[in-house]
Amino acid sequence: MIRRLATAALSLSALLALTGCGADSSADAAGKGQVTLTIGDQAKTLQTIVAASGALKGADYKVKWAEFEGAAPLYQAVQAGAADTTYSADLPALQALSGGVRFKNVAALKNDGRHVGIVVGKDSGIDSVKDLKGQKVVVSSAKGSIAEYLLANVLKQNGLSYSDVKVQYLLPTDAQAAFASGKIKAWATFGVYQAVGLEQGGKLLVDGADGRVSGYGFIGASDKALGDPAKKAALSDFLGRLGRALTWTSTHQDAYAQAIEQRNGADSSVAKTLASAAYSKALPVTAEVNKTVQGVADLMNGIGVLEPNVDVAESADTSLLK
């Protein structure tokens, strides 16, 4: 069910397989010098939303999709100038900013946090967060993922320190295979991988609801793209269309779930889970958003995961989405 997701490239070589979205863009765009935006995506998420909702109909620019399995290779593509935009939860964006990737957060995304969770094997003997003490916990995908923030935060909430667990980082498809074979007891993961782990018999120990994660994600734009007036104008238009597409997913969950099935290869139960937990809004990057995400940055900096720390407010460009 995640076979198609497993084929997503883990390096910049994936950009050789960029797929045009000509059916959704202006049919007259080709050959007339219109702007082309290369939109960074993970596991076809944004691509599915945009295509299913018809959000790009009538756009006077072209869109190409740069698809990756996780946030880390997507930010590498942006750093290399091979993608114009980013798409991730808050902590991967912070990690990339801390690592010197040159981009700005231009829109905030919001959901209830249920898209990230810690899944344990049914015979793991782990029944509470406190039972994680002394255990190895696999975190997907790389250091600084939203799954790692959930782990750090729930450990803190339960009186444990981050050093009380042994963290191992694995890319999601590798972790999924190891979890399915019983080699992993506890897996901090997200999205389709969380849904598949549960479908294969895993048990949800805790998810990110009720403030255990911020619920915020970001669309970012590279400094290079923001410095190009034509691309910046197209990005502003794209963000408005994406916002409408996200609203569509929350009001057409059955149709969205069907699109996930068709385009991502997920079965119906996984698709419904993903549809119900998706980001449902695109919001301006406000002072409130920055304050909430700064709390995420400060916690992760405090345990040595985010070095150096990030000033979230200074990492935003609020001019594209009002």
Side-chain angles (χ1 to χ4, degrees):
M1 68 190 69
I2 63 166
R3 206 170 297 164
R4 292 186 189 178
L5 296 176
T7 64
L10 305 183
S11 71
L12 297 184
S13 63
L15 296 171
L16 296 174
L18 291 178
T19 55
C21 198
D24 289 337
S25 300
S26 169
D28 298 325
K32 290 192 177 181
Q34 276 89 340
V35 170
T36 297
L37 296 178
T38 303
I39 304 295
D41 198 7
Q42 296 188 50
K44 294 186 179 178
T45 303
L46 297 182
Q47 186 178 169
T48 298
I49 291 168
V50 166
S53 64
L56 285 180
K57 289 179 180 177
D60 61 358
Y61 48 87
K62 293 179 66 178
V63 166
K64 289 185 176 180
W65 297 95
E67 184 196 339
F68 299 92
E69 183 183 357
L74 170 51
Y75 282 106
Q76 290 169 7
V78 170
Q79 180 76 335
D84 294 318
T85 67
T86 72
Y87 161 62
S88 75
D90 52 8
L91 185 53
L94 296 172
Q95 192 77 8
L97 288 163
S98 178
V101 181
R102 297 178 63 82
F103 73 99
K104 295 289 190 299
N105 293 322
V106 295
L109 308 172
K110 190 73 172 77
N111 65 17
D112 61 10
R114 291 185 292 127
H115 67 298
V116 56
I118 299 174
V119 181
V120 297
K122 60 182 178 181
D123 300 320
S124 65
I126 300 171
D127 299 311
S128 70
V129 171
K130 290 185 177 181
D131 292 336
L132 292 174
K133 186 173 183 178
Q135 297 283 350
K136 179 177 77 173
V137 181
V138 167
V139 170
S140 293
S141 56
K143 189 174 184 179
S145 78
I146 184 61
E148 186 166 25
Y149 174 73
L150 173 65
L151 175 62
N153 200 27
V154 297
L155 289 172
K156 179 181 178 182
Q157 290 175 347
N158 284 271
L160 299 175
S161 69
Y162 202 60
S163 60
D164 285 327
V165 299
K166 304 167 186 176
V167 172
Q168 178 184 357
Y169 302 103
L170 282 178
L171 284 168
T173 49
D174 294 334
Q176 190 276 328
F179 185 80
S181 66
K183 296 178 180 177
I184 292 175
K185 285 187 177 182
W187 180 23
T189 187
F190 51 84
V192 66
Y193 308 104
Q194 176 184 334
V196 170
L198 293 173
E199 188 179 69
Q200 293 182 332
K203 178 177 66 176
L204 183 66
L205 185 68
V206 64
D207 64 21
D210 300 321
R212 287 183 287 271
V213 299
S214 75
Y216 285 116
F218 290 109
I219 300 292
S222 70
D223 286 0
K224 183 178 179 181
L226 290 171
D228 181 328
K231 277 197 172 183
K232 186 173 181 179
L235 282 168
S236 181
D237 180 80
F238 176 80
L239 292 177
R241 292 172 183 271
L242 178 62
R244 293 189 289 275
L246 292 172
T247 298
W248 178 89
T249 66
S250 63
T251 56
H252 297 77
Q253 283 197 5
D254 288 343
Y256 179 37
Q258 289 176 2
I260 293 172
E261 282 188 67
Q262 294 167 2
R263 298 179 70 92
N264 293 40
D267 67 20
S268 59
S269 62
V270 170
K272 288 178 180 178
T273 297
L274 293 175
S276 66
Y279 289 119
S280 59
K281 296 178 181 178
L283 306 167
V285 184
T286 63
E288 180 182 353
V289 171
N290 289 332
K291 180 179 178 181
T292 299
V293 177
Q294 190 66 56
V296 175
D298 294 346
L299 188 153
M300 300 310 285
N301 175 255
I303 63 171
V305 170
L306 188 68
E307 289 285 355
N309 204 355
V310 172
D311 187 320
V312 179
E314 288 190 358
S315 304
D317 184 329
T318 61
S319 65
L320 276 73
L321 185 64
K322 299 294 186 179

